[in-house]
Amino acid sequence: MCNLPPKFHSVCRLCLSFCGDNCSDVKLPIFDRDKDKSRLSEMIMTYLAIVVSPEDVLPKVVCGSCASKLDEFHTFRELTHKSERLLEQFLHYANSLSGPIEVC
């Protein structure tokens, strides 16, 4: 394995931001021992199509900003899926009352 700079593993895996010891931005572990506590690895692989593994040699942390963006994307995705289901339910209900709805 090559010689990596000492701070290599402190770089955010997603945006490459680096904070030293005096930084206010928190670094969050991608892989947490408590499965219920951290879904970062799942969200990275699902939403960004980036494969992350505890066995790879790349940094295993993300910055608070990237973690927040992943959470926002997850919330947005959940909202869009719920909206889609509600629209389909509305169409099904409307069809049951008066027959198929014509598109204007």
Side-chain angles (χ1 to χ4, degrees):
M1 187 155 103
C2 62
N3 292 327
L4 298 172
K7 304 289 184 177
F8 178 80
H9 293 288
S10 298
V11 172
C12 174
R13 174 80 172 251
L14 302 178
C15 73
L16 301 179
S17 68
F18 173 76
C19 283
D21 296 333
N22 298 326
C23 184
S24 63
D25 195 11
V26 65
K27 296 290 186 194
L28 302 167
I30 294 173
F31 306 100
D32 200 312
R33 286 178 173 71
D34 184 357
K35 299 278 186 204
D36 296 329
K37 191 175 176 184
S38 177
R39 300 182 330 234
L40 285 173
S41 62
E42 285 179 32
M43 289 193 291
I44 291 168
M45 290 189 281
T46 301
Y47 303 141
L48 305 178
I50 295 173
V51 177
V52 293
S53 168
E55 288 79 34
D56 67 33
V57 295
L58 298 175
K60 302 199 180 3
V61 294
V62 297
C63 67
S65 178
C66 286
S68 178
K69 288 175 184 173
L70 283 169
D71 283 335
E72 288 175 25
F73 190 81
H74 176 75
T75 301
F76 178 67
R77 181 178 186 233
E78 293 296 310
L79 172 67
T80 61
H81 286 206
K82 181 179 179 182
S83 297
E84 183 76 8
R85 286 190 305 275
L86 289 172
L87 288 169
E88 289 175 358
Q89 288 173 358
F90 175 78
L91 284 178
H92 180 70
Y93 175 72
N95 285 340
S96 71
L97 294 178
S98 62
I101 296 175
E102 294 181 24
V103 178
C104 300

